[in-house]
């Protein structure tokens, strides 16, 4: 999918490869959703560049996306992609620790970074006149990172504390981790982005530098600039900054295990005294926008919207408004992934309703999706909402940069992003029914219960 939505997992810090020779900037025209005219080209060293014009204010969003994420962490080094993201703020040979961040704040700008399963990204938002300064800093830390144990060990402690705060003290996060590990029995999507605690504890300077040298190269990166710029301006500045970075010659190969076809439904539960509201969660293994057959990705995206996209959706209407067994219910699909991904259904029980009773009703309603939920009116409403989200995202400079950056980082093309609204509009009722019957089946599922435990039981 092409919207950077809340269900796209990523962690941030606490605060298409072109052939040799530079390609001409290729304008792709306006999208069917009325977006800007996007241009793309590549530098001689292989860096892909995307320019998204937005002339409403003299501001630019400058993003660098690397084609590596937590699913590319070496075996036994879970969390190294995220750990390195933290360490990228620790200075280079040219700029000491904090110089980059101080420059951004001194210019009145904003910055951040995040790691997901399939990519790592760094971005700044500054006035247009300071774009080249951002490029100089970012190009420098593409190859100039300097690390010593005096900064590595304390930053590892920061990541360990981040995991304690986000996961070890949060039963809902613990359930999510356990469900992912059960859904992906062989693929690294089953390993948390932040890493397992015992493996984070062992990460060191050598691990970080080896990973850095492998993935942080111009031919493995995508520069996205959205804002008050022209393609010619961006090309000139990129040539003068990123163009000086020496390439390795070939893009690093991503080595990942393939998830086997699931054969058995799985169930698990987390009980904790801190749970305030019991929850039923269900994950299904489904194709992503990269692994799907023709049209299945768009059908799964639309199916999630029909089934669980807000208070007019099928699940909410049935479970909350008609049966009264839930106070909330919905569904989502994480289509933006390189490998097979997850489709989720969830429900929160009403007072006095057990999770077992709620699950019984959810299963009964899910069996009726092909025959009951997929009415022409419901499908049209869902299409309108999804396309409207794309239009609204096009109104945000940073959202546009993220949409194009995340798509290219997983191997999609600008044309596929541009065509997405039309592809959603083209999904038929028959295709929706087909993907529901093919993928929303028990053998492809993991069901999780989040329940409140007494202190004695937890002990």
């Amino acid at each position: 999918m092409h919207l950077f939505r809340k269900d796209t997992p990523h962690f941030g810090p606490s605060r298409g490869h072109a052939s040799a020779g530079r390609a001409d900037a290729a304008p792709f025209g306006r999208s069917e959703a009325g977006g800007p005219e996007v241009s793309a080209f590549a530098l001689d060293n292989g860096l892909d560049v995307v320019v998204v014009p937005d002339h409403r204010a003299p501001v630019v969003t400058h993003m660098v996306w690397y084609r590596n994420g937590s699913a590319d962490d070496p075996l036994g080094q879970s969390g190294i992609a995220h750990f390195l993201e933290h360490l990228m703020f620790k200075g280079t040979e040219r700029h000491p620790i904090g110089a980059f961040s101080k420059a951004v704040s001194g210019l009145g700008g904003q910055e951040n970074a995040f790691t997901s399963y399939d990519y790592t990204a760094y971005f700044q938002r500054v006035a247009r006149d300071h774009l080249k300064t951002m490029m100089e800093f970012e190009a420098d830390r593409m190859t100039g990172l300097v690390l010593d144990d005096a900064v590595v060990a304390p930053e590892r402690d920061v990541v360990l504390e981040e995991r304690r705060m986000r996961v070890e003290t949060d039963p809902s996060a613990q359930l999510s981790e356990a469900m992912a590990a059960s859904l992906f029995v062989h693929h690294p999507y089953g390993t948390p982005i932040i890493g397992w605690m015992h493996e984070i504890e062992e990460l060191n300077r050598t691990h970080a530098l080896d990973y850095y040298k492998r993935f942080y190269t111009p031919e493995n990166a995508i520069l996205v600039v959205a804002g008050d710029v022209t393609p010619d301006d961006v090309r000139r500045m990129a040539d003068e900054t990123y163009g000086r970075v020496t390439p390795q010659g070939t893009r690093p190969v991503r080595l990942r295990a393939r998830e086997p076809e699931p054969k058995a439904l799985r169930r698990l539960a987390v009980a904790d005294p801190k749970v305030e509201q019991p929850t039923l969660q269900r994950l299904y293994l489904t194709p992503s926008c990269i692994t799907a057959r023709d049209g299945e990705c768009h059908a799964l995206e639309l199916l999630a919207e029909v089934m669980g996209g807000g208070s007019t959706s099928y699940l909410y209407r049935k479970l909350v408004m008609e049966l009264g067994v839930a106070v909330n219910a919905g569904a989502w699909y994480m289509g933006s992934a390189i490998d097979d991904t997850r489709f989720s259904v969830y429900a929160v029980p009403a007072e006095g309703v057990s999770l077992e009773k709620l699950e019984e009703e959810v299963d009964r309603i899910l069996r009726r999706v092909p025959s009951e939920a997929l009415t022409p009116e419901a499908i049209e409403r869902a299409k309108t909402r999804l396309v409207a989200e794309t239009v609204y995202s096009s109104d945000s400079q940073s959202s546009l940069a993220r949409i194009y950056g995340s798509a290219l980082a997983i191997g999609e093309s600008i044309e596929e992003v541009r065509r997405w609204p039309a592809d959603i509009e083209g999904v038929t009722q028959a295709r929706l029914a087909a993907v529901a019957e093919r993928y929303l089946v028990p053998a492809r599922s993991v069901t999780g219960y989040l329940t409140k435990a007494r202190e004695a039981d937890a002990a």
Side-chain angles (χ1 to χ4, degrees), residues 12-13 15 83-92 95-101 111-114 121-124 138 141 145 147 155:
R15 14 137 225 85
F83 185 34
L84 178 59
E85 175 216 310
H86 278 243
L87 294 174
M88 287 289 284
F89 291 84
K90 298 306 176 183
T92 67
H95 301 110
I97 296 177
F100 192 172
S101 297
E111 67 163 350
N112 215 324
F114 52 86
Y122 303 83
F123 66 94
Q124 304 84 34
E138 201 68 83
R141 71 174 173 183
L145 185 65
L147 297 177
E155 198 61 33

Side-chain angles (χ1 to χ4, degrees), residues 222-252:
I222 304 159
L223 168 64
V224 181
V225 179
D228 191 17
V229 292
T230 67
D232 288 343
D233 290 337
V234 173
R235 182 196 289 278
R236 174 179 51 79
M237 288 184 279
D239 267 331
E240 294 171 356
T241 53
Y242 292 102
R244 297 176 180 176
V245 179
T246 303
Q248 289 190 2
T250 57
R251 185 184 298 172

Side-chain angles (χ1 to χ4, degrees), residues 25-151:
F28 287 85
R30 301 177 70 85
S31 74
E32 282 85 343
E37 293 190 5
V38 178
S39 297
F41 54 91
L43 302 188
D44 289 340
N45 59 9
L47 178 73
D48 288 320
V49 184
V50 177
V51 183
V52 187
D54 176 8
H55 301 295
R56 292 172 296 178
V59 175
V60 294
T61 297
H62 169 259
M63 301 191 78
V64 176
W65 298 73
Y66 291 97
R67 295 177 176 93
N68 71 276
S70 67
D72 302 297
D73 291 351
L75 193 63
Q77 297 177 28
S78 65
I80 188 65
H82 173 250
F83 185 34
L84 178 59
E85 175 216 310
H86 278 243
L87 294 174
M88 287 289 284
F89 291 84
K90 298 306 176 183
T92 67
E93 294 178 3
R94 292 180 55 196
H95 301 110
I97 296 177
F100 192 172
S101 297
K102 187 178 294 184
V104 174
S105 62
L107 296 171
Q110 303 166 330
E111 67 163 350
N112 215 324
F114 52 86
T115 303
S116 190
Y117 292 113
D118 296 312
Y119 46 73
T120 307
Y122 303 83
F123 66 94
Q124 304 84 34
R125 193 164 188 261
V126 295
R128 173 190 58 203
D129 295 343
H130 305 307
L131 174 59
K132 188 176 180 182
T133 301
M134 298 299 101
M135 288 187 175
E136 289 170 344
F137 272 108
E138 201 68 83
D140 174 51
R141 71 174 173 183
M142 184 177 284
T143 56
L145 185 65
V146 174
L147 297 177
D148 58 53
D149 290 331
V151 299

